[in-house]
Amino acid sequence: MKPASPFLELDEGPRVRVVFDGTPLDLRAGANLAAALLAAGVQTLRHTSVSGAPRGPFCMMGACYDCLVEIDGVVRQACMTEVAEGMEIARPRAGEAGHGA
Amino acid sequence: MAHSDLAVVGAGPAGMAAAVTAAEAGLSVTLLDEQPRPGGQIYRDVDRAAARRGDILGADFTVGVRLTGALAQPGVAHVPGATVWAIEAGWRLLYTRDGRAAEVTADRVILATGAMERPMPLPGWTLPGVMTAGAGQILLKQSGLVPREAVLVGCGPLLYLVAAQMVRAGVPPRALVETQTKAELIAAFRHAGGALRNGPALAKGLGLIAEIAGAGIDRHTGATDIAIDGEGQAEAVRFRAGGRVHRIPARTVLLHHGVVPNTQAARSLGIAHRWDHGQHCFAPVLDGWGETERAGLFIAGDGAGIAGAKAAEAAGRLAALQAGRQAGRLSRGQRDRQAAPLRAALSRERALRPFLDAAYPPHAPALRPPDATVVCRCEEVTAGDIRRYATLGCTGPNQAKAFGRAGMGPCQGRYCGLTVTALLAEANRQSPEATGYYRIRPPLKPVTLGELAAMDAPARDAAE
Ligand SMILES: Cc1cc2nc3c(=O)[nH]c(=O)nc-3n(C[C@H](O)[C@H](O)[C@H](O)COP(=O)(O)OP(=O)(O)OC[C@H]3O[C@@H](n4cnc5c(N)ncnc54)[C@H](O)[C@@H]3O)c2cc1C
Ligand code: FES
């Protein structure tokens, strides 16, 4: 069972199915991906390459890079991405989230 | 390749006002911002959020639609979702949009890239569930999310604003753990004269505090020894206040002790910066119009020094007027007539700052954290590592890169730069100014090979 959301959600709207780390999730279409994952109870988006420590969104403004996820094979900032139907989202493998290309 | 008279980076109050003022003077303007919608940090997503939750966010937020609405005019080409990663003299701006790199050229450039929250390295600040207070506010503005069981930690006007907005949303924070002391507040009153010049702003601040008190939220002031506990995610905030140790359970912890200029773009162009003693940060050296030492390059808004949204708007317009004058579209008289009221507004807004800076100084232990605390989030370098580099002869942040990887991760030092400067300055008994800051090189934000490959061939060749 997924843990209850630590957030109150004020907005409603149609949801689309995405897959996060193998688990199907119904997120609000067009919503900010980092926010939508937090609302769905997902707090850890990646693990650091140095110590494997868990990380989640920190700045929500594209500055900290702690929200990196792999979307359809490309490492991107979840806080700078909008939810789209069918997204395949994975926690980036250790080492991949550290350095953009 | 698109060419315009003026390129503006950042569509917050400074950038939007600059773009519109320049267009009104007859300049063609390209306005680039990495966010999908205009507004910047204060007016984030205002076009949608003002209608949905203007009552929660308040009139100081909804007023932003005035600026976003003015962008709809033929002289301004707003390019949303454009992350600028390189700026070259002459001027050429390279950016990524929708997974493709692209470029624009312009005769002049205004950087209006705003501020970011001052890094607040405390034990446990890297745990999931710990965010900046501004991030919490962005979740509310842009996505309509309010954290339940949240504790706000730190100090400053934005901390009170976020707390009040959460109260209005019906999900008050569990507690405010505030770092400023009564003594600091009392000492700040020597700047009261300046603050009184901006009475309405002062009254609003007091109103927020009253709103928080009215909601019955626990406030602890003068907090020290703050740490966030948790296994794999934030679970509680621990601190000492009023002579005893407290531990408040929290699933979300929002940190804030002020904002500092985002200087990455200016630094990548080698612009000189000075240390601002009152605001404990670096700020670019500018003339009265916001122009840098490099002709045709301006900086406006909180990226030039923290003074808030109204000041940012006025500074954006001033820079645009001077750009219009330089381009021969405005006479000296036209420029100066329009500039006079803007200068008055700017000085009124700035008058409030010495009071705020003294009343809510940064939390000293988070400027120079204990050895075990991670300061570089990307590469997990601790304060103790930096101190050790100093004992081995490291005198500045750039040298630190020879000792370890601090500042070399994807955030490019945004969240460790000021801490590394402070730690080395203290260890070497040097001023922050003499210690310096990271040298910033493009790309300002990581670019992938795929994005470069998708760029039109001539531009790509030039980029290599
Ligand atoms: C998270 C946060 C929340 C804040 N909330 C408030 C508030 O509620 N009330 C208040 O009074 N003050 C707030 N502030 C203070 C804020 O700095 C000022 O009020 C005001 O927003 C400054 O305006 P500006 O135009 O200088 O910059 P900003 O409003 O910060 O706008 C800068 C813009 O530049 C863009 N940008 C930056 N770098 C790049 C790049 N490389 N490529 C493309 N685009 C880029 C950003 O996306 C952003 O939209 C907040 C600050 C922060 C950091
Ligand atoms: S949360 Fe900081 S970059 Fe996305």
Side-chain angles (χ1 to χ4, degrees), chain A residues 57-61, chain B residues 117-118 130-138 253-256 415:
Chain A
F58 176 70
C59 75
M60 288 302 294
M61 55 180 272
Chain B
E117 285 165 279
R118 180 190 297 282
V130 182
M131 285 184 275
T132 68
Q137 195 200 33
I138 288 169
V253 179
L254 301 177
L255 305 178
H256 182 84
Y415 283 101

Side-chain angles (χ1 to χ4, degrees), chain A residues 3-11 28 30 32 34-36 38-39 43-44 46 48-66 68 74-75 77 79-80 82 97-101, chain B residues 34-37 41 44 52-53 56 115-116 125-126 128-132 135 138-140 142-148 169 171 232-233 251-252 377-380 405 408-411 414-415 445-449:
Chain A
S5 170
F7 291 86
L8 169 74
E9 285 183 78
L10 300 173
D11 291 351
R28 246 182 351 99
N32 179 283
L38 285 172
Q43 271 190 313
T44 298
R46 69 181 186 98
T48 61
S49 49
V50 181
S51 74
R55 291 291 169 84
F58 176 70
C59 75
M60 288 302 294
M61 55 180 272
C64 76
Y65 290 80
D66 264 332
L68 290 173
V74 182
V75 176
Q77 291 162 288
C79 77
M80 301 294 284
E82 293 187 350
H99 314 281
Chain B
E34 62 185 325
Q35 287 297 326
R37 275 165 286 273
Q41 301 313 343
R44 173 72 79 117
R52 286 185 190 165
R53 42 186 158 272
I56 294 174
M116 44 172 275
W125 76 309
T126 55
V130 182
M131 285 184 275
T132 68
I138 288 169
L139 288 173
L140 170 59
Q142 189 175 29
S143 306
L145 292 190
V146 198
R148 296 186 171 108
V171 191
Q233 68 171 68
R251 290 178 73 182
T252 301
R377 299 173 63 91
C378 296
E379 301 290 341
E380 302 186 271
R405 291 198 48 89
M408 293 169 76
C411 100
R414 283 174 177 82
Y415 283 101
K445 302 231 167 171
V447 192
T448 65
L449 291 177

Side-chain angles (χ1 to χ4, degrees), chain B residues 341-369:
Chain B
L342 298 170
R343 290 202 190 284
L346 201 55
S347 108
R348 194 165 53 243
E349 293 305 318
R350 286 184 179 153
L352 183 62
R353 288 293 143 176
F355 172 75
L356 290 178
D357 295 340
Y360 302 106
H363 182 49
L367 295 180
R368 288 171 292 273

